[in-house]
Amino acid sequence: KANTLQKILYINGAKQTGYFWQVLGVCELLFGLLLIIQGTGFIGALFLLPITLHIFLFHLFLETDEIGELIQTGGLFAINIALGSC
């Protein structure tokens, strides 16, 4: 139950900024597009790294009971690191 309260407080804090979710969505789309375009993949992976790290850490600390989601986000974070190191 404390975990649920932490998640609610965290998400409400992000919503209070007003434009957080819109900026996050635009950044994910833009950086994902950079991944697809040949020649800018490294830059796209580099810019996506903090976003995927943030999502992974959210699941690691606030959704510890969801093992499947933790594995999925950990895999995506590992893929992002692999793309950035190529």
Side-chain angles (χ1 to χ4, degrees):
K1 297 192 185 232
N3 238 358
T4 303
L5 180 61
Q6 286 177 333
K7 284 190 277 189
I8 290 169
L9 290 173
Y10 176 80
I11 291 173
N12 282 339
K15 284 182 179 179
Q16 286 179 356
T17 62
Y19 295 103
F20 175 76
W21 299 113
Q22 292 87 350
V23 170
L24 180 64
V26 167
C27 287
E28 287 177 341
L29 287 172
L30 179 65
F31 302 154
L33 223 118
L34 288 174
L35 275 176
I36 295 171
I37 299 171
Q38 189 175 6
T40 61
F42 174 74
I43 294 170
L46 189 66
F47 288 163
L48 273 174
L49 191 62
I51 295 172
T52 54
L53 174 63
H54 179 259
I55 294 169
F56 173 70
L57 291 175
F58 174 83
H59 286 283
L60 181 66
F61 291 107
L62 295 178
E63 288 196 339
T64 54
D65 54 335
E66 299 288 335
I67 301 299
E69 289 182 11
L70 181 61
I71 292 170
Q72 182 182 7
T73 57
L76 291 173
F77 182 59
I79 290 169
N80 193 329
I81 291 174
L83 285 172
S85 65
C86 291

